[in-house]
Amino acid sequence: MPDTNFEQPQTPAATPLAMTLHVNGRDHLMALDPRTTLLDALREHLGLTGTKVGCNHGTCGACTVHIDGRRHLACLVLAAAAQRRNIGTIEGLAGPDGALHPMQAAFVAHDALQCGYCTPGQIMSAVACVAEGHTGSDAEIREYMSGNLCRCGAYPNIVAAVREVAANAQQRS
Amino acid sequence: MAAVAATSSAIADAALELIEVKYEILPFVIDVEDAMLPGAPILHDDLFTAGVEPKATTASNIAKRVAFKLGDVDAGFAEADVVVEGYYTTQAVHQAYIEPHACVVTVGSDGQSLIYSSSQGHFMVRAYCAKLLGMELSDIRAMPSEIGGGFGGKTVVYLEPIAMALSKQTGRPVKMVMTREDVFRSTGPTSGGTIAVKLGAKKDGTITAATAVLKFQAGAFPGSPVQPGCMTCFAMYDLKNVTITGYDVVSNRPKVAAYRAPGAPISTFATESAMDELALKLGMDPIALREKNAAKDGTKTAYGVTFQNIGYTQTLEAAKNHPHYTAPLGPNQGRGVASGFWFNIGGESTGAVHVNEDGSVSIVTGSPDIGGSRASMAMMAAEVLGIPVEKVRPVIGDTATIGFTHLTGGSRVTFATGMAVTQAAERVRDDLKKRAAMIWEIPVEAVDWKDGEAVPAGANAGGFDPMPLAAIALKAAKTGGPIIAEVSVNAQGAGPGFATHICDVEVDPETGHTTVLRYTAIQDVGRAIHPSYVEGQIQGGAAQGIGWALNEEYIYDKQGKLDNAGFLDYRVPVASDMPMIEAVMIEVPNPRHPFGAKGVGEVPIVPPMAAVANAIRGAIGIRMPHLPMSPPKLRAAMDAKAG
């Protein structure tokens, strides 16, 4: 059992910790408060605001990023703990020429969003969902996409986008 | 009140710890019926019930009473062969947009202020801030931001005035962001409420009388949507004898804010559940009962309006003929039908159309885009100008760059702002014709506009080659200067929206868990400007309604404190909770809109709770009158029935 009875940190300022984050193929040398989450490091310090904050408690999925290809909630990862790992965000998904990743293109084609706020997290989750092979049926897609809330209720179109990308990936392989 | 500004959230947190607050714990009341009882703790000693005769003389938690009446219900019930009565309750639910409230503001030393915030109306933000801070509207420039969901909840200010006060004091820009817990605790959910319904009908299904009494939680201050709740709950039906009474009641909860079709889902849950009970008692098909009593063109509502150009019966017809309605059901499965109504509104909007020198077109409106309205604006302008939609770039102007526009709500933007944009595009088109006439040196009457080009109106006009918009734009300086038009409207004649939903569920007899198996949402959309976005609105409304029906609620502990202020315990629907929601669009055009549009975003959240409840009734033979219909409640109801 993790100890949940810890004291809230009261120190307003902590000695910055030098760290290197490898994000979207590039190293970033940073000096951050050791309490900084990966989410804050990305948004507030690297300007990568595509990763969204919905709850900061790991309950909505809006901040989903890839760490070594697996999906993680950036709000639950300390930046310092993500050193020496390959961190992927929505900004790194498109090709260097700006060509959309197939999942991004599928989200556009299927109108798999309304307000768009949960979309970066949905897309990062969806890319991993396909890579994990959890796309055998619509029910399986729904199950493995259930960590990402979409209050606009675009789920039918999100599932359609994931299904299409998975089918195309299968054809190519 | 105290507020802290700091250079980091860690410092702000530490500073907050240093503020000592002494609370005097007063008696509290959470439940709406309790708050109305004699002897209930009174929240405001200066609150007297409005709308009662004689005038109230003692303070009450009942802020307002409203009543609507047609005919004589006593005579109507006397005529009835069958009467059903029910008492229904709903819980407060939150809009739960994924983007928490946030703003960045700066107040200059000269008082000139800039607000960047996420809202459904930056003119609204400007107005509230000016009022609260005693400023002139023209001193505040409110910038619209991309908005991560609103659903009605971002139609008021929470952070902006505080941030402005802090900025004024510090002389620095101030950023404020709510946590998810802040959002649940301190921003408005919608009301929970109680609704007592009574329906009387003849054997053939003709409803002879209907009554409803609605009691809605307003939160700590008056202002629940009980009035629209009253106005909508029987609006689907042509009733000769009806009374609807509503009470706006304060209690120790967060002050409510609008949530998609405010009031209607709450009251309609009750009335459409009662309609299902009536159909059962009469042994009638639930769609046939609704058809028998359906509102049509010319039907007068209890709130006074006479309907025109409505498409309710068409939604019933489509529901009856949809393969979903007759598909076989398995064990523990049930099917429910329910209908819903929402007014849709118009109001003040501004749209500007600018033809740029290269022939591209910019559109500016004052309507924050919460559901894809920018695309609809571009499509309508492109249609009028006869150019590809890709040539049109729609943007949202701030309060200093576009004329006043009422906030995004009431399903008004495609209708009202769309009307402004269409009219502006028409003016631009007329101007383009005038410019072509000038270049060709012929009368403007001799110029037509076709597929994005000026063309001679006939053989007599002269043998000119068509002149495309871009060519005219290039010569704008020589023909009178910039080609632009800005139109402000106060749009009237929004067409009301009607929907009929069909829902199949399966109830697990072991756990009481309800799975929504299939869902079909049929709606009169007027004319769908961007059909896939309209479908998205219908699916989204249905999804939120299903969450409201099955899971969502504000839970209070015995100390009167909210116990589930987070997504872990306040459970909104996730992908695996949702079936495919099939949206069926019926198009009964609205003659008051240039393209026939009606509002579409709100009515889809009105029928789902009753549709789900009626389906559960079909599956387990038990009427569930209390929301949410969560597994423990269903399990308890099934156990009670089994004895």
Side-chain angles (χ1 to χ4, degrees):
Chain A
M1 279 287 287
D3 177 15
T4 52
N5 195 23
F6 57 85
E7 285 281 306
Q8 285 290 323
Q10 292 297 321
T11 327
T15 313
L17 186 71
M19 60 181 89
T20 303
L21 292 182
H22 190 68
V23 183
N24 299 330
R26 277 185 58 198
D27 278 339
H28 298 270
L29 180 60
M30 309 163 79
L32 301 178
D33 185 315
R35 296 167 295 190
T36 308
T37 63
L38 178 57
L39 176 57
D40 282 343
L42 293 170
R43 287 181 56 86
E44 308 293 332
H45 299 279
L46 293 177
L48 296 172
T49 53
T51 305
K52 299 299 179 194
V53 193
C55 69
N56 235 352
H57 281 72
T59 58
C60 77
C63 67
T64 305
V65 297
H66 294 167
I67 299 179
D68 293 339
R70 295 186 58 184
R71 33 185 165 170
H72 282 265
L73 299 170
C75 71
L76 295 186
V77 178
L78 286 172
Q83 298 185 87
R84 294 175 294 279
R85 314 279 292 274
N86 283 312
I87 300 159
T89 72
I90 189 75
E91 289 88 350
L93 222 47
D97 57 350
L100 293 183
H101 184 281
M103 190 62 77
Q104 291 173 307
F107 266 62
V108 173
H110 289 274
D111 288 326
L113 60 140
Q114 287 174 32
C115 81
Y117 195 78
C118 73
T119 311
Q122 298 280 0
I123 289 178
M124 297 309 282
S125 220
V127 168
C129 182
V130 173
E132 291 158 14
H134 291 309
T135 55
S137 65
D138 280 5
E140 192 182 9
I141 294 171
R142 288 178 195 282
E143 188 63 32
Y144 281 87
M145 288 298 293
S146 281
N148 293 79
L149 303 183
C150 170
R151 187 55 160 174
C152 297
Y155 296 128
N157 296 352
I158 292 170
V159 172
V162 177
R163 186 200 305 132
E164 180 190 282
V165 172
N168 290 342
Q170 195 133 41
Q171 270 176 10
R172 277 197 301 273
S173 62
Chain B
M1 195 180 92
V4 170
T7 52
S8 77
S9 54
I11 295 173
D13 283 343
L16 280 173
E17 290 292 321
L18 302 176
I19 300 175
E20 274 191 38
V21 184
K22 287 206 170 69
Y23 293 100
E24 183 190 347
I25 309 291
L26 298 173
F28 62 88
V29 60
I30 300 297
D31 180 74
V32 65
E33 298 273 14
D34 291 347
M36 293 174 78
L37 290 175
I42 295 295
L43 268 69
H44 308 282
D45 54 16
D46 58 349
L47 184 64
F48 300 90
T49 308
V52 290
E53 289 293 336
K55 212 165 178 292
T57 51
T58 50
S60 167
N61 291 327
I62 305 169
K64 189 172 72 170
R65 177 185 180 274
V66 292
F68 300 90
K69 184 173 186 297
L70 271 183
D72 179 346
V73 290
D74 291 336
F77 281 118
E79 274 182 67
D81 298 317
V82 168
V83 172
V84 295
E85 283 185 81
Y87 178 77
Y88 300 84
T89 62
T90 76
Q91 295 302 318
V93 299
H94 200 276
Q95 301 82 351
Y97 29 79
I98 308 296
E99 174 205 51
H101 298 258
C103 70
V104 175
V105 310
T106 161
V107 178
S109 53
D110 57 357
Q112 296 287 305
S113 304
L114 203 53
I115 303 173
Y116 293 87
S117 73
S118 168
S119 81
Q120 287 174 239
H122 40 300
F123 286 91
M124 170 278 298
V125 171
R126 183 181 70 161
Y128 276 124
C129 289
K131 179 105 178 150
L132 288 163
L133 297 161
M135 297 171 73
E136 300 246 337
L137 289 174
S138 56
D139 286 338
I140 301 174
R141 188 169 174 190
M143 317 292 286
S145 302
E146 291 296 328
I147 172 167
F151 317 113
K154 290 178 182 167
T155 54
V156 287
V157 293
Y158 295 104
L159 302 174
E160 292 88 342
I162 301 167
M164 283 180 76
L166 290 168
S167 178
K168 193 174 175 186
Q169 204 150 344
T170 57
R172 301 184 62 176
V174 170
K175 168 181 166 184
M176 277 184 91
V177 181
M178 281 197 193
T179 65
R180 179 53 52 185
E181 188 178 342
D182 292 338
V183 173
F184 275 112
R185 286 191 194 281
S186 56
T187 74
T190 192
S191 303
T194 71
I195 310 98
V197 188
K198 187 176 173 187
L199 297 173
K202 291 192 172 162
K203 283 199 186 90
D204 70 352
T206 306
I207 297 173
T208 56
T211 63
V213 178
L214 287 60
K215 299 167 183 172
F216 278 21
Q217 302 156 357
F221 300 95
S224 78
V226 74
Q227 182 152 336
C230 290
M231 292 158 80
T232 52
C233 66
F234 287 128
M236 296 79 79
Y237 303 109
D238 184 359
L239 302 177
K240 300 291 175 263
N241 305 303
V242 56
T243 62
I244 311 157
T245 313
Y247 297 92
D248 182 36
V249 183
V250 297
S251 66
N252 295 95
R253 293 169 168 268
K255 163 81 168 72
V256 299
Y259 181 24
R260 213 167 187 159
I266 302 165
S267 56
T268 305
F269 162 62
T271 54
E272 283 295 281
S273 294
M275 284 294 285
D276 201 57
E277 286 296 298
L278 183 60
L280 280 165
K281 206 159 175 180
L282 289 164
M284 248 180 117
D285 172 82
I287 293 181
L289 175 63
R290 287 173 173 83
E291 284 182 318
K292 184 91 191 163
N293 297 284
K296 301 177 182 70
D297 288 352
T299 295
K300 187 167 191 266
T301 61
Y303 66 92
V305 161
T306 301
F307 286 137
Q308 293 300 338
N309 307 111
I310 64 169
Y312 178 44
T313 54
Q314 289 88 331
T315 69
L316 291 168
E317 181 75 19
K320 196 169 57 181
N321 296 328
H322 195 284
H324 181 173
Y325 196 55
T326 45
L329 288 166
N332 302 315
Q333 296 180 359
R335 175 165 301 139
V337 173
S339 297
F341 162 84
W342 183 247
F343 316 92
N344 299 322
I345 62 168
E348 294 162 286
S349 278
T350 305
V353 175
H354 300 215
V355 176
N356 303 315
E357 305 92 284
D358 62 355
S360 63
V361 171
S362 305
I363 297 179
V364 189
T365 76
S367 293
D369 179 356
I370 62 170
S373 57
R374 268 172 297 191
S376 301
M377 298 303 134
M379 290 168 78
M380 286 187 270
E383 182 80 16
V384 171
L385 296 173
I387 58 175
V389 71
E390 293 76 18
K391 283 276 179 196
V392 183
R393 169 63 60 182
V395 300
I396 300 151
D398 65 76
T399 54
T401 59
I402 188 71
F404 179 84
T405 301
H406 183 53
L407 55 76
T408 297
S411 299
R412 61 176 295 278
V413 171
T414 305
F415 174 72
T417 308
M419 196 182 282
V421 166
T422 304
Q423 289 179 13
E426 285 166 353
R427 281 194 201 174
V428 159
R429 187 186 57 197
D430 292 345
D431 194 11
L432 288 163
K433 280 162 66 177
K434 210 167 74 189
R435 311 285 180 126
M438 203 181 286
I439 294 165
W440 285 335
E441 297 179 339
I442 60 173
V444 67
E445 296 76 30
V447 179
D448 265 355
W449 189 260
K450 210 168 165 249
D451 298 332
E453 298 178 322
V455 292
N460 295 339
F464 304 104
D465 288 338
M467 191 181 294
L469 180 145
I472 303 171
L474 201 59
K475 292 182 182 161
K478 289 180 186 155
T479 56
I483 304 170
I484 64 159
E486 180 165 329
V487 172
S488 292
V489 298
N490 189 357
Q492 305 298 316
F498 289 87
T500 299
H501 291 192
I502 312 169
C503 172
D504 289 0
V505 301
E506 180 170 330
V507 178
D508 184 330
E510 289 298 316
T511 63
H513 178 265
T514 301
T515 304
V516 181
L517 300 170
R518 185 173 180 181
Y519 203 97
T520 305
I522 301 152
Q523 185 174 324
D524 170 26
V525 300
R527 176 107 176 270
I529 303 296
H530 190 309
S532 76
Y533 284 7
V534 173
E535 286 176 0
Q537 288 295 313
I538 295 173
Q539 291 171 330
Q544 291 179 343
I546 290 169
W548 199 335
L550 292 175
N551 288 311
E552 295 179 35
E553 63 179 318
Y554 266 40
I555 298 168
Y556 284 81
D557 67 14
K558 288 194 171 63
Q559 281 74 46
K561 288 181 183 159
L562 180 62
D563 216 10
N564 62 335
F567 281 135
L568 209 56
D569 300 312
Y570 182 98
R571 196 176 178 288
V572 308
V574 301
S576 56
D577 295 324
M578 286 293 122
M580 171 61 195
I581 296 169
E582 186 187 342
V584 178
M585 295 183 285
I586 306 286
E587 295 193 310
V588 180
N590 175 10
R592 302 290 295 274
H593 184 271
F595 294 106
K598 292 176 180 171
V600 299
E602 286 170 296
V603 74
I605 200 175
V606 183
M609 286 95 89
V612 174
N614 297 344
I616 290 174
R617 171 70 181 74
I620 62 171
I622 302 171
R623 170 61 51 191
M624 297 298 294
H626 307 299
L627 296 183
M629 297 172 281
S630 52
K633 275 196 203 144
L634 254 70
R635 186 57 218 258
M638 287 188 287
D639 287 349
K641 189 188 174 201

